[in-house]
Amino acid sequence: MSAVPLPPLPPTPEEGFRPGGRSVADIVDREHRQLLELLAQLNGPDTTPQAGLPVLTAALSRHLSAEEQYLLPAVRAALPGAAERVDAEIAADAALLATLKGMTDETLTEVTARVREHVDGVGALVSELREVATQEELIRLGNRLEIAQEAAPTRPHPGTPATPPWNRIVEPAVGVVDKVLDAVTRRPTYLADLPEPPRG
């Protein structure tokens, strides 16, 4: 299996080295399941969506930011024939972030539909990436994705750059501002902050 031209990553120390961590495919699959489960909870008949909307917004904002910084560029590099689909996913992400920005209980249905489309589209790209990338490459990419998520914004910013190198510079800076606002307002931003976190 040939090496995938991934975005710049730390050099591998020695031949046969296996990095620690989780595969980017496993991370994305799990997060997609968690997001769908959270949306199912928020759309349930006995649910008050307002309580979970900040967490949904933060989780989606982090997820989309990290995918655009590392996953989608890796797919574009590894699968040149998928370039148009990657562009379509980036455009769909911008539309989802714009919907999230003004999300209310009433727009939750639209957000749910857009997230389902995202899961289907990106999930298909991840499946194709698995076919051409080595496990070591997928793990190294997963490490980068998780680091990017921790620094990513927790609020939707559809106007920020969506492709490298600028998104890797702008998104962490915006993320710092978001996290300060979160701390000041005591806004919940993690799935673990919910009474019944989705397991995925």
Side-chain angles (χ1 to χ4, degrees):
M1 198 177 284
S2 60
V4 172
L6 296 172
L9 296 170
T12 301
E14 57 189 45
E15 193 65 30
F17 170 78
R18 183 180 171 86
R22 296 184 296 155
S23 158
V24 68
D26 293 341
I27 293 168
V28 170
D29 287 349
R30 182 170 188 263
E31 289 181 358
H32 283 171
R33 289 194 304 271
Q34 288 176 326
L35 288 168
L36 291 174
E37 186 180 332
L38 176 56
L39 284 163
Q41 289 176 6
L42 296 178
N43 283 292
D46 302 322
T47 307
T48 305
Q50 198 64 39
L53 293 184
V55 172
L56 173 65
T57 299
L60 270 171
S61 297
R62 281 192 300 264
H63 176 80
L64 297 177
S65 174
E67 282 188 347
E68 289 178 354
Q69 288 182 59
Y70 288 100
L71 174 63
L72 294 180
V75 170
R76 190 190 298 276
L79 303 163
E84 286 187 11
R85 290 161 61 201
V86 170
D87 290 339
E89 290 303 328
I90 291 172
D93 286 355
L96 175 51
L97 288 170
T99 307
L100 270 180
K101 191 161 186 170
M103 187 168 64
T104 63
D105 292 0
E106 288 71 35
T107 57
L108 184 58
T109 302
E110 181 182 352
V111 169
T112 301
R114 289 187 183 277
V115 170
R116 286 181 179 142
E117 290 173 4
H118 168 86
V119 168
D120 289 343
V122 173
L125 292 173
V126 168
S127 294
E128 292 173 40
L129 182 63
R130 278 188 205 255
E131 296 297 317
V132 298
T134 65
Q135 186 65 13
E136 287 75 16
E137 288 167 334
L138 293 173
I139 290 171
R140 291 171 71 215
L141 191 56
N143 291 339
R144 279 301 175 108
L145 191 83
E146 290 186 315
I147 291 168
Q149 282 191 337
E150 283 306 308
T154 58
R155 288 171 166 77
H157 300 280
T160 58
T163 55
W166 291 110
N167 62 346
R168 294 180 190 162
I169 297 168
V170 174
E171 295 279 285
V174 173
V176 169
V177 176
D178 283 355
K179 288 174 180 63
V180 169
L181 288 173
D182 294 340
V184 169
T185 60
R186 298 175 182 264
R187 174 178 178 250
T189 60
Y190 285 95
L191 298 178
D193 296 331
L194 295 169
E196 295 183 25
R199 297 178 185 177

PDB file of all heavy atoms in Angstrom, residues 65-95:
ATOM      1  N   SER A  65     -14.463  22.110  12.166  1.00  0.00           N
ATOM      2  CA  SER A  65     -13.184  22.822  12.076  1.00  0.00           C
ATOM      3  C   SER A  65     -12.030  21.837  11.913  1.00  0.00           C
ATOM      4  O   SER A  65     -11.171  21.995  11.032  1.00  0.00           O
ATOM      5  CB  SER A  65     -12.975  23.681  13.324  1.00  0.00           C
ATOM      6  OG  SER A  65     -11.675  24.263  13.320  1.00  0.00           O
ATOM      7  N   ALA A  66     -11.987  20.811  12.741  1.00  0.00           N
ATOM      8  CA  ALA A  66     -10.885  19.839  12.689  1.00  0.00           C
ATOM      9  C   ALA A  66     -10.903  19.051  11.380  1.00  0.00           C
ATOM     10  O   ALA A  66      -9.846  18.796  10.790  1.00  0.00           O
ATOM     11  CB  ALA A  66     -10.959  18.902  13.883  1.00  0.00           C
ATOM     12  N   GLU A  67     -12.085  18.685  10.915  1.00  0.00           N
ATOM     13  CA  GLU A  67     -12.172  17.961   9.640  1.00  0.00           C
ATOM     14  C   GLU A  67     -11.637  18.814   8.500  1.00  0.00           C
ATOM     15  O   GLU A  67     -10.919  18.315   7.629  1.00  0.00           O
ATOM     16  CB  GLU A  67     -13.623  17.563   9.348  1.00  0.00           C
ATOM     17  CG  GLU A  67     -14.103  16.354  10.126  1.00  0.00           C
ATOM     18  CD  GLU A  67     -15.467  15.875   9.678  1.00  0.00           C
ATOM     19  OE1 GLU A  67     -16.177  16.602   8.945  1.00  0.00           O
ATOM     20  OE2 GLU A  67     -15.841  14.766  10.091  1.00  0.00           O
ATOM     21  N   GLU A  68     -11.971  20.100   8.506  1.00  0.00           N
ATOM     22  CA  GLU A  68     -11.514  20.972   7.425  1.00  0.00           C
ATOM     23  C   GLU A  68     -10.012  21.244   7.507  1.00  0.00           C
ATOM     24  O   GLU A  68      -9.367  21.470   6.486  1.00  0.00           O
ATOM     25  CB  GLU A  68     -12.302  22.286   7.442  1.00  0.00           C
ATOM     26  CG  GLU A  68     -13.744  22.106   6.987  1.00  0.00           C
ATOM     27  CD  GLU A  68     -14.543  23.392   7.051  1.00  0.00           C
ATOM     28  OE1 GLU A  68     -14.006  24.414   7.559  1.00  0.00           O
ATOM     29  OE2 GLU A  68     -15.703  23.393   6.603  1.00  0.00           O
ATOM     30  N   GLN A  69      -9.460  21.218   8.712  1.00  0.00           N
ATOM     31  CA  GLN A  69      -8.026  21.451   8.856  1.00  0.00           C
ATOM     32  C   GLN A  69      -7.189  20.253   8.419  1.00  0.00           C
ATOM     33  O   GLN A  69      -6.128  20.425   7.818  1.00  0.00           O
ATOM     34  CB  GLN A  69      -7.686  21.795  10.309  1.00  0.00           C
ATOM     35  CG  GLN A  69      -8.142  23.169  10.744  1.00  0.00           C
ATOM     36  CD  GLN A  69      -7.724  23.459  12.165  1.00  0.00           C
ATOM     37  OE1 GLN A  69      -6.540  23.444  12.486  1.00  0.00           O
ATOM     38  NE2 GLN A  69      -8.689  23.717  13.031  1.00  0.00           N
ATOM     39  N   TYR A  70      -7.647  19.030   8.717  1.00  0.00           N
ATOM     40  CA  TYR A  70      -6.806  17.862   8.470  1.00  0.00           C
ATOM     41  C   TYR A  70      -7.443  16.744   7.650  1.00  0.00           C
ATOM     42  O   TYR A  70      -6.813  16.209   6.742  1.00  0.00           O
ATOM     43  CB  TYR A  70      -6.279  17.312   9.802  1.00  0.00           C
ATOM     44  CG  TYR A  70      -5.239  18.235  10.376  1.00  0.00           C
ATOM     45  CD1 TYR A  70      -5.557  19.131  11.384  1.00  0.00           C
ATOM     46  CD2 TYR A  70      -3.948  18.258   9.852  1.00  0.00           C
ATOM     47  CE1 TYR A  70      -4.618  20.020  11.865  1.00  0.00           C
ATOM     48  CE2 TYR A  70      -3.002  19.147  10.320  1.00  0.00           C
ATOM     49  CZ  TYR A  70      -3.333  20.022  11.333  1.00  0.00           C
ATOM     50  OH  TYR A  70      -2.403  20.913  11.796  1.00  0.00           O
ATOM     51  N   LEU A  71      -8.674  16.358   7.968  1.00  0.00           N
ATOM     52  CA  LEU A  71      -9.257  15.219   7.256  1.00  0.00           C
ATOM     53  C   LEU A  71      -9.493  15.522   5.777  1.00  0.00           C
ATOM     54  O   LEU A  71      -9.033  14.780   4.896  1.00  0.00           O
ATOM     55  CB  LEU A  71     -10.570  14.788   7.915  1.00  0.00           C
ATOM     56  CG  LEU A  71     -11.337  13.694   7.164  1.00  0.00           C
ATOM     57  CD1 LEU A  71     -10.530  12.403   7.104  1.00  0.00           C
ATOM     58  CD2 LEU A  71     -12.700  13.458   7.786  1.00  0.00           C
ATOM     59  N   LEU A  72     -10.208  16.592   5.484  1.00  0.00           N
ATOM     60  CA  LEU A  72     -10.555  16.881   4.089  1.00  0.00           C
ATOM     61  C   LEU A  72      -9.332  17.174   3.226  1.00  0.00           C
ATOM     62  O   LEU A  72      -9.267  16.710   2.080  1.00  0.00           O
ATOM     63  CB  LEU A  72     -11.591  18.004   4.018  1.00  0.00           C
ATOM     64  CG  LEU A  72     -12.970  17.641   4.615  1.00  0.00           C
ATOM     65  CD1 LEU A  72     -13.933  18.808   4.498  1.00  0.00           C
ATOM     66  CD2 LEU A  72     -13.548  16.393   3.951  1.00  0.00           C
ATOM     67  N   PRO A  73      -8.311  17.905   3.735  1.00  0.00           N
ATOM     68  CA  PRO A  73      -7.093  18.059   2.921  1.00  0.00           C
ATOM     69  C   PRO A  73      -6.401  16.721   2.651  1.00  0.00           C
ATOM     70  O   PRO A  73      -5.846  16.518   1.568  1.00  0.00           O
ATOM     71  CB  PRO A  73      -6.206  18.975   3.780  1.00  0.00           C
ATOM     72  CG  PRO A  73      -7.161  19.741   4.618  1.00  0.00           C
ATOM     73  CD  PRO A  73      -8.282  18.777   4.917  1.00  0.00           C
ATOM     74  N   ALA A  74      -6.429  15.807   3.628  1.00  0.00           N
ATOM     75  CA  ALA A  74      -5.820  14.492   3.427  1.00  0.00           C
ATOM     76  C   ALA A  74      -6.576  13.710   2.358  1.00  0.00           C
ATOM     77  O   ALA A  74      -5.968  13.043   1.512  1.00  0.00           O
ATOM     78  CB  ALA A  74      -5.796  13.712   4.738  1.00  0.00           C
ATOM     79  N   VAL A  75      -7.904  13.787   2.383  1.00  0.00           N
ATOM     80  CA  VAL A  75      -8.713  13.112   1.364  1.00  0.00           C
ATOM     81  C   VAL A  75      -8.410  13.703  -0.010  1.00  0.00           C
ATOM     82  O   VAL A  75      -8.230  12.971  -0.993  1.00  0.00           O
ATOM     83  CB  VAL A  75     -10.217  13.234   1.687  1.00  0.00           C
ATOM     84  CG1 VAL A  75     -11.060  12.752   0.507  1.00  0.00           C
ATOM     85  CG2 VAL A  75     -10.568  12.449   2.943  1.00  0.00           C
ATOM     86  N   ARG A  76      -8.314  15.021  -0.084  1.00  0.00           N
ATOM     87  CA  ARG A  76      -8.037  15.683  -1.367  1.00  0.00           C
ATOM     88  C   ARG A  76      -6.678  15.224  -1.920  1.00  0.00           C
ATOM     89  O   ARG A  76      -6.528  14.978  -3.119  1.00  0.00           O
ATOM     90  CB  ARG A  76      -8.047  17.198  -1.190  1.00  0.00           C
ATOM     91  CG  ARG A  76      -7.997  17.967  -2.509  1.00  0.00           C
ATOM     92  CD  ARG A  76      -7.763  19.451  -2.270  1.00  0.00           C
ATOM     93  NE  ARG A  76      -8.809  20.077  -1.506  1.00  0.00           N
ATOM     94  CZ  ARG A  76      -9.944  20.533  -2.016  1.00  0.00           C
ATOM     95  NH1 ARG A  76     -10.185  20.404  -3.304  1.00  0.00           N
ATOM     96  NH2 ARG A  76     -10.832  21.121  -1.231  1.00  0.00           N
ATOM     97  N   ALA A  77      -5.670  15.107  -1.024  1.00  0.00           N
ATOM     98  CA  ALA A  77      -4.332  14.707  -1.456  1.00  0.00           C
ATOM     99  C   ALA A  77      -4.276  13.231  -1.845  1.00  0.00           C
ATOM    100  O   ALA A  77      -3.623  12.857  -2.818  1.00  0.00           O
ATOM    101  CB  ALA A  77      -3.325  14.990  -0.342  1.00  0.00           C
ATOM    102  N   ALA A  78      -4.976  12.396  -1.076  1.00  0.00           N
ATOM    103  CA  ALA A  78      -4.905  10.951  -1.302  1.00  0.00           C
ATOM    104  C   ALA A  78      -5.818  10.475  -2.419  1.00  0.00           C
ATOM    105  O   ALA A  78      -5.542   9.467  -3.063  1.00  0.00           O
ATOM    106  CB  ALA A  78      -5.257  10.222  -0.009  1.00  0.00           C
ATOM    107  N   LEU A  79      -6.919  11.205  -2.626  1.00  0.00           N
ATOM    108  CA  LEU A  79      -7.922  10.783  -3.610  1.00  0.00           C
ATOM    109  C   LEU A  79      -8.223  11.942  -4.557  1.00  0.00           C
ATOM    110  O   LEU A  79      -9.245  12.626  -4.417  1.00  0.00           O
ATOM    111  CB  LEU A  79      -9.203  10.347  -2.895  1.00  0.00           C
ATOM    112  CG  LEU A  79      -9.071   9.220  -1.861  1.00  0.00           C
ATOM    113  CD1 LEU A  79     -10.293   9.179  -0.950  1.00  0.00           C
ATOM    114  CD2 LEU A  79      -8.873   7.887  -2.565  1.00  0.00           C
ATOM    115  N   PRO A  80      -7.338  12.211  -5.517  1.00  0.00           N
ATOM    116  CA  PRO A  80      -7.533  13.355  -6.414  1.00  0.00           C
ATOM    117  C   PRO A  80      -8.893  13.360  -7.112  1.00  0.00           C
ATOM    118  O   PRO A  80      -9.459  14.420  -7.374  1.00  0.00           O
ATOM    119  CB  PRO A  80      -6.391  13.207  -7.434  1.00  0.00           C
ATOM    120  CG  PRO A  80      -5.353  12.400  -6.722  1.00  0.00           C
ATOM    121  CD  PRO A  80      -6.104  11.475  -5.813  1.00  0.00           C
ATOM    122  N   GLY A  81      -9.433  12.186  -7.360  1.00  0.00           N
ATOM    123  CA  GLY A  81     -10.733  12.112  -8.020  1.00  0.00           C
ATOM    124  C   GLY A  81     -11.886  12.564  -7.148  1.00  0.00           C
ATOM    125  O   GLY A  81     -13.002  12.757  -7.638  1.00  0.00           O
ATOM    126  N   ALA A  82     -11.620  12.746  -5.849  1.00  0.00           N
ATOM    127  CA  ALA A  82     -12.675  13.156  -4.913  1.00  0.00           C
ATOM    128  C   ALA A  82     -12.669  14.658  -4.649  1.00  0.00           C
ATOM    129  O   ALA A  82     -13.412  15.131  -3.784  1.00  0.00           O
ATOM    130  CB  ALA A  82     -12.526  12.406  -3.596  1.00  0.00           C
ATOM    131  N   ALA A  83     -11.856  15.416  -5.388  1.00  0.00           N
ATOM    132  CA  ALA A  83     -11.700  16.852  -5.122  1.00  0.00           C
ATOM    133  C   ALA A  83     -13.038  17.597  -5.153  1.00  0.00           C
ATOM    134  O   ALA A  83     -13.305  18.444  -4.293  1.00  0.00           O
ATOM    135  CB  ALA A  83     -10.715  17.474  -6.109  1.00  0.00           C
ATOM    136  N   GLU A  84     -13.882  17.291  -6.126  1.00  0.00           N
ATOM    137  CA  GLU A  84     -15.177  17.986  -6.221  1.00  0.00           C
ATOM    138  C   GLU A  84     -16.062  17.654  -5.027  1.00  0.00           C
ATOM    139  O   GLU A  84     -16.787  18.519  -4.522  1.00  0.00           O
ATOM    140  CB  GLU A  84     -15.888  17.621  -7.527  1.00  0.00           C
ATOM    141  CG  GLU A  84     -15.278  18.279  -8.750  1.00  0.00           C
ATOM    142  CD  GLU A  84     -16.089  18.034 -10.007  1.00  0.00           C
ATOM    143  OE1 GLU A  84     -17.236  17.525  -9.890  1.00  0.00           O
ATOM    144  OE2 GLU A  84     -15.594  18.349 -11.102  1.00  0.00           O
ATOM    145  N   ARG A  85     -16.009  16.421  -4.571  1.00  0.00           N
ATOM    146  CA  ARG A  85     -16.808  16.036  -3.397  1.00  0.00           C
ATOM    147  C   ARG A  85     -16.294  16.717  -2.139  1.00  0.00           C
ATOM    148  O   ARG A  85     -17.074  17.109  -1.269  1.00  0.00           O
ATOM    149  CB  ARG A  85     -16.796  14.516  -3.246  1.00  0.00           C
ATOM    150  CG  ARG A  85     -17.595  13.812  -4.346  1.00  0.00           C
ATOM    151  CD  ARG A  85     -17.203  12.358  -4.466  1.00  0.00           C
ATOM    152  NE  ARG A  85     -17.459  11.626  -3.238  1.00  0.00           N
ATOM    153  CZ  ARG A  85     -16.849  10.484  -2.938  1.00  0.00           C
ATOM    154  NH1 ARG A  85     -15.946   9.965  -3.754  1.00  0.00           N
ATOM    155  NH2 ARG A  85     -17.134   9.866  -1.810  1.00  0.00           N
ATOM    156  N   VAL A  86     -14.973  16.873  -2.032  1.00  0.00           N
ATOM    157  CA  VAL A  86     -14.404  17.598  -0.894  1.00  0.00           C
ATOM    158  C   VAL A  86     -14.882  19.040  -0.921  1.00  0.00           C
ATOM    159  O   VAL A  86     -15.303  19.588   0.110  1.00  0.00           O
ATOM    160  CB  VAL A  86     -12.863  17.527  -0.908  1.00  0.00           C
ATOM    161  CG1 VAL A  86     -12.267  18.487   0.119  1.00  0.00           C
ATOM    162  CG2 VAL A  86     -12.388  16.103  -0.638  1.00  0.00           C
ATOM    163  N   ASP A  87     -14.847  19.669  -2.097  1.00  0.00           N
ATOM    164  CA  ASP A  87     -15.333  21.052  -2.217  1.00  0.00           C
ATOM    165  C   ASP A  87     -16.803  21.149  -1.818  1.00  0.00           C
ATOM    166  O   ASP A  87     -17.221  22.113  -1.156  1.00  0.00           O
ATOM    167  CB  ASP A  87     -15.155  21.560  -3.655  1.00  0.00           C
ATOM    168  CG  ASP A  87     -13.695  21.781  -4.028  1.00  0.00           C
ATOM    169  OD1 ASP A  87     -12.863  21.930  -3.101  1.00  0.00           O
ATOM    170  OD2 ASP A  87     -13.394  21.800  -5.235  1.00  0.00           O
ATOM    171  N   ALA A  88     -17.580  20.160  -2.223  1.00  0.00           N
ATOM    172  CA  ALA A  88     -19.013  20.158  -1.885  1.00  0.00           C
ATOM    173  C   ALA A  88     -19.204  20.033  -0.381  1.00  0.00           C
ATOM    174  O   ALA A  88     -20.090  20.686   0.200  1.00  0.00           O
ATOM    175  CB  ALA A  88     -19.726  19.022  -2.613  1.00  0.00           C
ATOM    176  N   GLU A  89     -18.376  19.221   0.292  1.00  0.00           N
ATOM    177  CA  GLU A  89     -18.481  19.078   1.746  1.00  0.00           C
ATOM    178  C   GLU A  89     -18.108  20.379   2.451  1.00  0.00           C
ATOM    179  O   GLU A  89     -18.748  20.754   3.439  1.00  0.00           O
ATOM    180  CB  GLU A  89     -17.590  17.935   2.243  1.00  0.00           C
ATOM    181  CG  GLU A  89     -18.067  16.544   1.861  1.00  0.00           C
ATOM    182  CD  GLU A  89     -19.474  16.239   2.335  1.00  0.00           C
ATOM    183  OE1 GLU A  89     -19.878  16.752   3.405  1.00  0.00           O
ATOM    184  OE2 GLU A  89     -20.180  15.490   1.636  1.00  0.00           O
ATOM    185  N   ILE A  90     -17.105  21.070   1.951  1.00  0.00           N
ATOM    186  CA  ILE A  90     -16.705  22.351   2.555  1.00  0.00           C
ATOM    187  C   ILE A  90     -17.826  23.375   2.406  1.00  0.00           C
ATOM    188  O   ILE A  90     -18.132  24.117   3.344  1.00  0.00           O
ATOM    189  CB  ILE A  90     -15.390  22.856   1.924  1.00  0.00           C
ATOM    190  CG1 ILE A  90     -14.231  21.942   2.358  1.00  0.00           C
ATOM    191  CG2 ILE A  90     -15.107  24.299   2.323  1.00  0.00           C
ATOM    192  CD1 ILE A  90     -12.922  22.216   1.641  1.00  0.00           C
ATOM    193  N   ALA A  91     -18.459  23.404   1.229  1.00  0.00           N
ATOM    194  CA  ALA A  91     -19.592  24.313   1.017  1.00  0.00           C
ATOM    195  C   ALA A  91     -20.759  23.943   1.933  1.00  0.00           C
ATOM    196  O   ALA A  91     -21.426  24.822   2.506  1.00  0.00           O
ATOM    197  CB  ALA A  91     -20.027  24.282  -0.442  1.00  0.00           C
ATOM    198  N   ALA A  92     -21.002  22.651   2.094  1.00  0.00           N
ATOM    199  CA  ALA A  92     -22.084  22.199   2.972  1.00  0.00           C
ATOM    200  C   ALA A  92     -21.776  22.532   4.426  1.00  0.00           C
ATOM    201  O   ALA A  92     -22.677  22.887   5.199  1.00  0.00           O
ATOM    202  CB  ALA A  92     -22.300  20.690   2.805  1.00  0.00           C
ATOM    203  N   ASP A  93     -20.498  22.434   4.813  1.00  0.00           N
ATOM    204  CA  ASP A  93     -20.095  22.813   6.174  1.00  0.00           C
ATOM    205  C   ASP A  93     -20.408  24.280   6.440  1.00  0.00           C
ATOM    206  O   ASP A  93     -20.894  24.644   7.517  1.00  0.00           O
ATOM    207  CB  ASP A  93     -18.591  22.585   6.380  1.00  0.00           C
ATOM    208  CG  ASP A  93     -18.229  21.111   6.510  1.00  0.00           C
ATOM    209  OD1 ASP A  93     -19.141  20.271   6.532  1.00  0.00           O
ATOM    210  OD2 ASP A  93     -17.018  20.820   6.597  1.00  0.00           O
ATOM    211  N   ALA A  94     -20.118  25.139   5.457  1.00  0.00           N
ATOM    212  CA  ALA A  94     -20.376  26.575   5.615  1.00  0.00           C
ATOM    213  C   ALA A  94     -21.867  26.828   5.810  1.00  0.00           C
ATOM    214  O   ALA A  94     -22.269  27.643   6.654  1.00  0.00           O
ATOM    215  CB  ALA A  94     -19.848  27.345   4.405  1.00  0.00           C
ATOM    216  N   ALA A  95     -22.693  26.115   5.049  1.00  0.00           N
ATOM    217  CA  ALA A  95     -24.146  26.265   5.188  1.00  0.00           C
ATOM    218  C   ALA A  95     -24.619  25.768   6.544  1.00  0.00           C
ATOM    219  O   ALA A  95     -25.486  26.383   7.186  1.00  0.00           O
ATOM    220  CB  ALA A  95     -24.859  25.515   4.058  1.00  0.00           C
TER     221      ALA A  95
END
